[in-house]
Amino acid sequence: MLPKNLEKSGLLLINEIYCIMNFMKASKTIISTLREAPNDAVIASHQLMMRAGLIRKLGNGLYSYMPLGLKAFRKVENIIRQELDNAGMNEMKPTVIQPAEIWKESGRWEKMGAEMLKPQNRGGQDMVVSPTAEEAFTALVRDGLSSYKQLPFTLYQINTKYRDEIRPRYGVMRGREFTMMDAYSFDKDQADLDASYENAANAYRRIFKRMGLTTISVKADTGAMGGSGSEEFMVESEVGDDTLILCPNCKYAANVEKAACKDDVAVDSNGKPQVATDKAVEEIPTPDVKTIEELSEFLKTTAQSFIKTLIYKVENAGVDLGKNNDFVAVCIRGDLDVNEAKLCALLKASDVELASEADVVRITDAPVGFAGPVKLTKAPVIADNSVMTMHDCVTGGLKKDVHFIHVEPNRDFTPMMTADVRVVKPGDICPECGGTFYSKKGNELGHIFKLGDKYTKSMNVTYLDENGKSVTPIMGCYGIGVDRTLASIIEAHHDENGIIWTMSTAPYQVAIVPVMYKEKMKEVADSLYEELKALGVDVLLDDRDERPGVKFKDADLIGYPIRIVVGDKNLPNVEVKLRSADKADLIPATDAAKAVAKIVADELAKLNS
Ligand code: ATP
Ligand code: MG
């Protein structure tokens, strides 16, 4: 019989939705734990997933989930699925292999770059292994959308993706094949898109909370995707690939790729704003001085007096850079760095990279180190905002061992564009409240994005509005990396002995470990197993013929939230220990199942609240 309090807590219901098989005998599955993690595993989640036998490597960036790992994976996946379904989104399952045509229609066949895997079928037709699915969903909706009455709706899939990452690393955190939840909203106008976007953001917050993850949402770069608004859901992590810029006073939070700061005025060596000069530009010899530090020393001034000029090669620029030109000269104040993501977004390019030495020599007529915007003719100048408050400054002289002094921006050179392309750093000033930024490392788990009509327009999606007029719907897209989320749960919840799963994501919530699986201990263990099964708790019975020490070590490493030890010396009591606690409790075996089920239910309710 189900105790009343459990019925109320909805434990049975929750676990039924989570998974089909919620019980297992260890002898019937493969538990293959490793004492040592392989050498290429350098972060805790990767090491522990390998050591606990949750995943195994099949190739570079290619990981397979073993039965225990898949159980945890399904829980994560199902939390995502439940919350999206609750938010009124519809799951579907497009194919992973897609025809090249739809990618050609959107223009991303060329723009996407080398991350996209493009096999050919036996007929020699180009195909794509889906790295994302804006095109597929847009094409599928195009076929079925006719009237405004069908809008708005959001479709999603939880499906395999492939990206040919240059440097797959950290196990499933950055794999080549991975699973993503990607959702796409279709709306008639901006107000509806704002509502769909907010709906997705709210679902994300519930999803991560239920898994026991604390996320920070940050303003994000809109990159090659195009579009108007974008936020990333980050978890703080020492091994994070992203840098977050945060304000201690207000809610400003942004990925460094996107972060903006208040413009500051360039100062001279006395800390005073720089003053305009009416002296003409003058060429000075600077033999053997190349770096900004050496130049500051040589000219007895500070880095803020220099305009640093970097030549970038631009791929697929969406703005006109002049005839047959793929290069720009980016000018920025000497103490600052260029943010390539901002530059890429400014130029609507698929990528930017520093030009090769040969290209620099060809464009500047000088060796590397003497580029400057004055008299430069072979590449347009992009000036960071910082340059526009500079006066009487120093630039490269477009000749070996030569610099220009008394340079006045706007007088001596005219940028093709002026924009914010600087890297914002801790210590810079918040543009919204004047606070001083600090920074943290983070990992991106999810992304929400207002796409606008980028895909619906290029791929010709229309519907008839109230007046029978043909109009283009607008889209939003929303992604969560399932594998990366799973790994992040382990990053956030582990100790030196292993994983400490949250109750909602554990492969099994309870492990029953008989000291030896025989006689009275077997009888009690079997009966607890049956009782917990009946109560709807995910339970594993470690019936292996192993030494108790091995079984305890495995239980800690795999990280079941609750362990029940059945040993001769304690019977008729059993030992109930939370993985996160230091001490165990002795409970009469006859009460243990109910007590444990209550702990599970309470913990799930807490995560769910
Ligand atoms: P990143 O900057 O980390 O490469 P992204 O901006 O390319 O991420 P999106 O295109 O927004 O990622 O994909 C949505 C989600 O898919 C990400 O938030 C992340 O959780 C997951 N994801 C992306 N690339 C990978 C990968 N190589 N391995 C595992 N998960 C990934
Ligand atoms: Mg990426």
Side-chain angles (χ1 to χ4, degrees), residues 115 163 165 174:
E115 265 193 13
R163 293 184 185 177
E165 299 276 354
R174 183 174 299 284

PDB file of all heavy atoms in Angstrom, residues 115 163 165 174, ligand 2:
ATOM      1  N   GLU A 115      32.679  23.490 -39.263  1.00  0.00           N
ATOM      2  CA  GLU A 115      32.035  22.699 -38.207  1.00  0.00           C
ATOM      3  C   GLU A 115      30.960  21.775 -38.765  1.00  0.00           C
ATOM      4  O   GLU A 115      30.550  20.818 -38.119  1.00  0.00           O
ATOM      5  CB  GLU A 115      31.387  23.626 -37.181  1.00  0.00           C
ATOM      6  CG  GLU A 115      32.297  23.889 -36.019  1.00  0.00           C
ATOM      7  CD  GLU A 115      31.594  24.536 -34.853  1.00  0.00           C
ATOM      8  OE1 GLU A 115      30.356  24.578 -34.801  1.00  0.00           O
ATOM      9  OE2 GLU A 115      32.322  25.009 -33.974  1.00  0.00           O
ATOM     10  N   ARG A 163      28.805  18.391 -34.757  1.00  0.00           N
ATOM     11  CA  ARG A 163      29.613  19.559 -35.122  1.00  0.00           C
ATOM     12  C   ARG A 163      31.064  19.116 -35.116  1.00  0.00           C
ATOM     13  O   ARG A 163      31.521  18.554 -34.130  1.00  0.00           O
ATOM     14  CB  ARG A 163      29.417  20.709 -34.124  1.00  0.00           C
ATOM     15  CG  ARG A 163      28.021  21.274 -34.185  1.00  0.00           C
ATOM     16  CD  ARG A 163      27.847  22.469 -33.270  1.00  0.00           C
ATOM     17  NE  ARG A 163      26.458  22.893 -33.287  1.00  0.00           N
ATOM     18  CZ  ARG A 163      25.963  23.879 -32.553  1.00  0.00           C
ATOM     19  NH1 ARG A 163      26.752  24.551 -31.740  1.00  0.00           N
ATOM     20  NH2 ARG A 163      24.699  24.196 -32.638  1.00  0.00           N
ATOM     21  N   GLU A 165      33.847  19.954 -34.220  1.00  0.00           N
ATOM     22  CA  GLU A 165      34.612  20.854 -33.363  1.00  0.00           C
ATOM     23  C   GLU A 165      36.104  20.653 -33.620  1.00  0.00           C
ATOM     24  O   GLU A 165      36.574  19.514 -33.713  1.00  0.00           O
ATOM     25  CB  GLU A 165      34.324  20.531 -31.886  1.00  0.00           C
ATOM     26  CG  GLU A 165      32.878  20.697 -31.453  1.00  0.00           C
ATOM     27  CD  GLU A 165      32.535  22.129 -31.070  1.00  0.00           C
ATOM     28  OE1 GLU A 165      33.440  22.986 -31.036  1.00  0.00           O
ATOM     29  OE2 GLU A 165      31.334  22.382 -30.821  1.00  0.00           O
ATOM     30  N   ARG A 174      32.162  19.121 -24.572  1.00  0.00           N
ATOM     31  CA  ARG A 174      32.314  19.590 -25.945  1.00  0.00           C
ATOM     32  C   ARG A 174      32.687  18.404 -26.816  1.00  0.00           C
ATOM     33  O   ARG A 174      33.845  18.112 -27.052  1.00  0.00           O
ATOM     34  CB  ARG A 174      33.358  20.718 -26.055  1.00  0.00           C
ATOM     35  CG  ARG A 174      33.468  21.268 -27.489  1.00  0.00           C
ATOM     36  CD  ARG A 174      34.367  22.468 -27.595  1.00  0.00           C
ATOM     37  NE  ARG A 174      33.880  23.582 -26.799  1.00  0.00           N
ATOM     38  CZ  ARG A 174      32.863  24.371 -27.130  1.00  0.00           C
ATOM     39  NH1 ARG A 174      32.230  24.182 -28.263  1.00  0.00           N
ATOM     40  NH2 ARG A 174      32.492  25.349 -26.339  1.00  0.00           N
TER      41      ARG A 174
HETATM   42 MG    MG B   2      29.904  26.192 -30.850  1.00  0.00          MG
END
